[in-house]
Amino acid sequence: MPLVPVNSVPYRLANLPPDWLDRSIYAAAGGRLTFGDLRDNALRFGGWLSHAASVRSGDLVAVCLPKSLASVQAIYGILAAGAVYVPLQYQGPPARLRAILDSLQARLLLTTGEMAGRLALEGDARPMPPLHRIEADASHEDLERLWRGLPALSRTAAVDDDDLAAIYFTSGSTGEPKGVMWSHRSMAASIAAMPRLGRLSERDRLIGVAGLHYSASAEIFFPLVSGGMTYLLSDREAMFADRIAEILEHERTTVWSASATALRLLVESAGFDRRDLSALRRVDFYGERMSFPALRQAMAALPRAEFHNLYAASEAFYMIEFAVPRPLPDQLTALPLGRPSSIYELSLRAEDGSEVMPGETGEICVVGPSVMMGYWQDPDLTQAKRVHGRRDSYRTGDLAFLAEDGFLHFVGRKDHVVKLRGHRFDLGEIEAALKAHPAVRDAVAFPTASAGKIGELKIGAAVLSDALAAAGGDLASELRRHCLTRLPAMARPARILVLERFPTLSSGKIDRRALEALIAAR
């Protein structure tokens, strides 16, 4: 019989402490959910998957739903049945989602009627996976009708450490998203470590900010090991910083974890300084660099909270952490990445894999049980990201050096990956989307600073074309419309230049700085 990892989601769900069963652990605009209800409903949902949808252990189930009590119960039900859950961006670009679904050949797609209609692209003959509609505002009664008359699972599935548990899709350099695979081992290790690193307890109240398609949304599982409460922020609520501030105050939230951009928008929201957020004891931010004016404003508004700058990736959970000192030293001009997390063995390595000396720049590499299983259907990329072939290792592509102060400091990227609103996106995917337009001969995408907002990046692009007009309008406008179904909102170029030739360096390579200057001048 397969082994059950002690910390796996199915195991934890089946072995909840008896005194936890009546505890409310999830809250949302639609109500609250206890541990006992979650366990029972996950087993019922798993029974429906098995008996009505013919889902078997190891099958892939795609989930394109907004974050809600219903979608979280569905995810738990998928894992309870031993299946693999694959979260997709709700309301994401349909063409991009169809490309992911084509690569998956999922056994089932759970989505809303609205998204099912959007995914049925006009003129697209590719078959859709079998789908079942669960509406965004599904109530408990709606879910009960789903499994009524069907037997629930008698117990959660037995899974092996190395069985696939989830796939999170991120941006890829080839123009197609890449799937980061989590085994039950890596998922369990990540979930078990986070409460320990964040010193979470059953008294803590968290707020789930990240959309389900981001790996950061694995925070929905933290109550399994901390016993604390998590408020599930809906996709609509997450769009309005003043609404988030209202929930933080009402729910007496103690821990906030989100991108640096989300934190900046929160402290800049209307009436933020009049909110009673005294319950917040810890603020974690990650992703792009936080501007010092915004950080000082946040620390002044939340004088009792500890601030932590986190470094992470979908391939490996929080690798490095920096506890921001109070007050911020005047001589500090940029936040360091910090010190390695205790859950990894971290090293800085040269291109040949050898470790560099302190003070020298090297690629951040980690080894540990939380590292991803690999990339979906891409063994070559998986191998390229390993350190000396070790399956529990990951080469991040980020460059850093160890300074005399004992902290790691960020230098840059080896490739064309940028951080947008806290999430990595490959410029190659943006360029591929632009080049898919018939009027474009070539395209270059590059990050450019957002006017008036320090630290916030936007995407600029330049294309080569012989046609200066298309579809009755200028080509730049046509290309922006073209990107609507192919790229997430954060990755769509804010400005597009149409050129007859690219500026080049003496080496013949494209001069990206010159392109940035052209964008800024227009």
Side-chain angles (χ1 to χ4, degrees), residues 194-218:
M194 287 307 100
R196 185 178 80 247
L197 295 178
R199 300 188 297 281
L200 302 182
S201 74
E202 61 187 39
R203 296 184 299 276
D204 277 312
R205 304 172 69 87
L206 286 70
I207 184 168
V209 180
L212 290 178
H213 61 294
Y214 291 127
S215 59
S217 69

Side-chain angles (χ1 to χ4, degrees), residues 29 100 111 115 136 188 227 235 243 271 412 428 442 458 462:
I100 294 173
T111 191
M115 276 307 297
D235 295 339
R243 172 59 178 156
D442 201 359
K458 295 287 188 180

Side-chain angles (χ1 to χ4, degrees), residues 398-418:
D398 285 329
L399 302 175
F401 67 91
L402 180 63
E404 292 182 357
D405 58 13
F407 294 126
L408 293 161
H409 291 256
F410 182 72
V411 173
R413 285 287 301 178
K414 291 177 59 179
D415 50 28
H416 290 160
V417 172
V418 294

Side-chain angles (χ1 to χ4, degrees), residues 36-220:
D37 291 336
L38 173 67
R39 185 182 65 182
D40 293 345
N41 292 344
L43 292 174
R44 291 179 181 126
F45 195 94
W48 173 82
L49 288 172
S50 176
H51 298 289
S54 300
V55 170
R56 299 290 178 261
S57 184
D59 284 347
L60 274 58
V61 178
V63 179
C64 190
L65 294 169
K67 187 186 293 183
S68 67
L69 292 175
S71 56
V72 166
Q73 290 176 85
I75 290 172
Y76 272 95
I78 293 167
L79 291 171
V84 180
Y85 87 94
V86 187
L88 304 181
Q89 182 185 8
Y90 187 68
Q91 300 285 21
R96 190 172 193 263
L97 295 177
R98 284 300 300 272
I100 294 173
L101 288 170
D102 285 346
S103 75
L104 288 173
Q105 298 183 339
R107 181 68 190 85
L108 183 68
L109 167 63
L110 300 175
T111 191
T112 63
E114 177 191 358
M115 276 307 297
R118 292 185 62 200
L119 290 170
L121 300 177
E122 185 177 349
D124 195 333
R126 295 173 297 176
M128 285 272 285
L131 65 89
H132 182 83
R133 292 172 176 82
I134 298 178
E135 293 312 311
D137 56 352
S139 66
H140 180 68
E141 290 73 20
D142 294 328
L143 292 178
E144 278 191 332
R145 283 192 288 271
L146 181 71
W147 56 62
R148 186 174 297 158
L150 296 173
L153 296 176
S154 59
R155 60 179 181 273
T156 57
V159 293
D160 188 271
D161 275 338
D162 295 324
D163 286 345
L164 183 59
I167 307 175
Y168 289 93
F169 275 86
T170 65
S171 178
S173 60
T174 64
E176 298 294 336
K178 62 186 179 187
V180 178
M181 300 188 295
W182 283 11
S183 65
H184 281 280
R185 183 199 311 273
S186 55
M187 175 183 282
S190 298
I191 295 168
M194 287 307 100
R196 185 178 80 247
L197 295 178
R199 300 188 297 281
L200 302 182
S201 74
E202 61 187 39
R203 296 184 299 276
D204 277 312
R205 304 172 69 87
L206 286 70
I207 184 168
V209 180
L212 290 178
H213 61 294
Y214 291 127
S215 59
S217 69
E219 64 197 0
I220 65 174

